[in-house]
Amino acid sequence: MDGVLTNTARMTIYTFDNDPKGAGKSVCNGPCAGNWPPIMAAADAKPEGDYTIITRDDGAKQWAYKGKPLYLWVKDQKPGDKTGDGFNKVWQVAKP
């Protein structure tokens, strides 16, 4: 949708510039994860193509795209909203 990744509900997906490049690790935990909910992977989910699965600090599994952990933004209200793009200059819409 509009050249950005979306989830099955067509909500915009974001990446966090502060996540270490190529580390397959999320540094968005606690209050950060409350505002930027990680896109969680089911226990039996399998990586496919550019989509991989990382393990969060709490042991939960999270989807990543090209090594970047993926998130939603709590202030997006409807499909197509991109209100988190550029937030604090460290949150970006995820692009294929």
Side-chain angles (χ1 to χ4, degrees):
M1 191 167 111
D2 295 335
V4 301
L5 298 179
T6 59
N7 68 2
T8 55
R10 297 188 12 245
M11 297 301 286
T12 301
I13 295 175
Y14 298 90
T15 60
F16 186 34
D17 291 348
N18 291 348
D19 283 337
K21 286 192 182 358
K25 178 168 175 45
S26 169
V27 296
C28 181
N29 297 291
C32 177
N35 288 320
W36 298 93
I39 298 180
M40 305 311 288
D44 62 350
K46 302 278 186 252
E48 184 173 318
D50 288 327
Y51 290 92
T52 56
I53 299 169
I54 65 162
T55 302
R56 296 181 52 77
D57 287 352
D58 64 2
K61 304 293 185 187
Q62 178 179 357
W63 284 107
Y65 182 75
K66 294 185 177 176
K68 292 178 159 265
L70 300 174
Y71 307 87
L72 298 172
W73 169 230
V74 295
K75 295 194 177 176
D76 282 351
Q77 298 296 307
K78 63 187 184 313
D81 281 357
K82 298 181 193 129
T83 62
D85 192 24
F87 188 82
N88 283 348
K89 299 186 172 135
V90 294
W91 290 95
Q92 319 301 327
V93 294
K95 296 183 179 182

